[in-house]
Amino acid sequence: MSKLLICYQSTSVKLSVIIVNYNVKYYLEQCLEALLRAVKYIDSEIFVVDNCSADGSISYLVPRFPTVRFLENTVNAGFSRANNQAVDISKGEFILLLNPDTVVGESVVENVCRFMDADKKIGAIGVKMIDGFGNFLPESKRGFPTPWHSFTKMAGLGKLFPYSKTFGGYHLRYLNENNAHKVDVLAGAFMLLRRNVIEQTGSLDNRFFMYGEDIDLSYRIKQAGFDLYYLPEPIIHYKGESTKKDIKYVKRFYEAMLIFFNKHYPHSNRLFKSFIRMAIILAGFFSVVKKLIKINRLKRRTAHIEHIFNTDDYSYDRIIRYMDKNRKKNILFRIYHPNTGVTIDSYRVTVT
């Protein structure tokens, strides 16, 4: 199903970074450029598992990143299985699962590794994710999707009372995004894991093709007695670029939530399960509609402000922190890479 395109012999290292790619070669290029700066002083290895991309990702990226290990799948193996392929051959004491449509600052990886080193009870760490407009992404820290949390989220009570401990337990908005917290669930877009914890709890569940695998893994880590921490270290996550939200997304999201629900809450009331199924389907449908409306609005806007950062002039740390402090819906932040001539933002890639 796969082949290792660049093969190295490896002894134990401090950090293994694993990125699963599917048809986002320019976003992944930016991700790798930022990441290589971030791990410059860390004994590390980087894996990219390509899930049968049709955009020429492999031929484009392999020559540009000779120190990265590329695995090429001949079929789309799914997010969990692809990550596990690299986990099985990695050597790091810590494992970082990272989405291809993320940008990390130069100091972030060192900071989270240092925090992990300080306490052996920590099993996983996540960070503060912002989108391409600088807006905080609430999935950066979450509570378990218990029947009550799932109900309040699907019924819209979490949106009505986001800072309530009673109704806002899914996204934990009552916990300050700028402080460190122990949490229940971390996002797979950036999840630092301790290898010996994964060896104890098991890696990602291959039944989750896409979505839900991070919730399931977080649940098992917590059940094994380890802590999960959210740190206010900001990174960019161009949410949605690594996964297009079409009808397949709705189906996979529904399937993932159902797998988790049946796996960890098998004795819940049948009527309540039916409600959750319907709520998940409706939530998935409206998320697709919402994304289409957002894209169309952006295309129609002619007066929005564009702020372009040149990576020769600004560090990624500085870019991300500026975006985080200047989040406004009418500002579109773009990052320009003079070495490649590529400019990237939340919705498009421009190649000059």
Side-chain angles (χ1 to χ4, degrees), residues 196-254:
N196 63 0
V197 172
I198 294 302
E199 289 172 350
Q200 180 175 335
T201 63
S203 192
L204 298 174
D205 188 333
N206 287 337
R207 287 178 292 177
F208 294 90
F209 183 89
M210 188 184 301
Y211 310 111
E213 71 291 319
D214 48 3
I215 301 175
D216 175 70
L217 181 56
S218 296
Y219 185 90
R220 287 185 279 123
I221 292 172
K222 194 78 178 285
Q223 290 292 100
F226 295 95
D227 294 326
L228 292 88
Y229 266 90
Y230 161 86
L231 299 184
E233 294 282 343
I235 73 166
I236 301 170
H237 181 205
Y238 294 107
K239 186 181 176 184
E241 283 308 318
S242 58
T243 308
K244 301 301 181 183
K245 288 182 170 57
D246 53 16
I247 193 64
K248 288 183 179 179
Y249 158 82
V250 177
K251 182 174 183 294
R252 286 169 179 165
F253 179 79
Y254 163 71

Side-chain angles (χ1 to χ4, degrees), residues 18 47 49 71 81-91:
I18 299 172
F47 293 90
V49 186
L71 286 81
R81 194 177 298 276
N83 269 297
N84 289 338
Q85 288 175 249
V87 169
D88 289 344
I89 61 174
S90 66
K91 303 293 183 181

Side-chain angles (χ1 to χ4, degrees), residues 85-137:
Q85 288 175 249
V87 169
D88 289 344
I89 61 174
S90 66
K91 303 293 183 181
E93 177 188 352
F94 300 157
I95 300 169
L96 174 60
L97 306 184
L98 189 67
N99 266 29
D101 58 347
T102 58
V103 184
V104 300
E106 288 80 357
S107 64
V108 170
V109 179
E110 283 193 41
N111 289 343
V112 294
C113 286
R114 191 178 298 115
F115 196 90
M116 180 82 88
D117 265 329
D119 188 348
K120 299 298 182 184
K121 280 201 66 179
I122 300 175
I125 296 175
V127 295
K128 177 181 182 178
M129 299 187 296
I130 61 174
D131 65 15
F133 293 89
N135 298 309
F136 175 71
L137 295 174

Side-chain angles (χ1 to χ4, degrees), residues 136 141-143 162-165 168-169 171-184 230:
F136 175 71
K141 51 179 174 62
R142 287 172 286 177
Y163 301 104
S164 163
K165 289 187 178 182
H171 279 132
L172 305 178
R173 294 298 295 270
Y174 55 85
L175 298 180
N176 191 312
E177 68 185 66
N178 295 312
N179 295 333
H181 302 283
K182 286 184 183 181
V183 296
D184 292 331
Y230 161 86

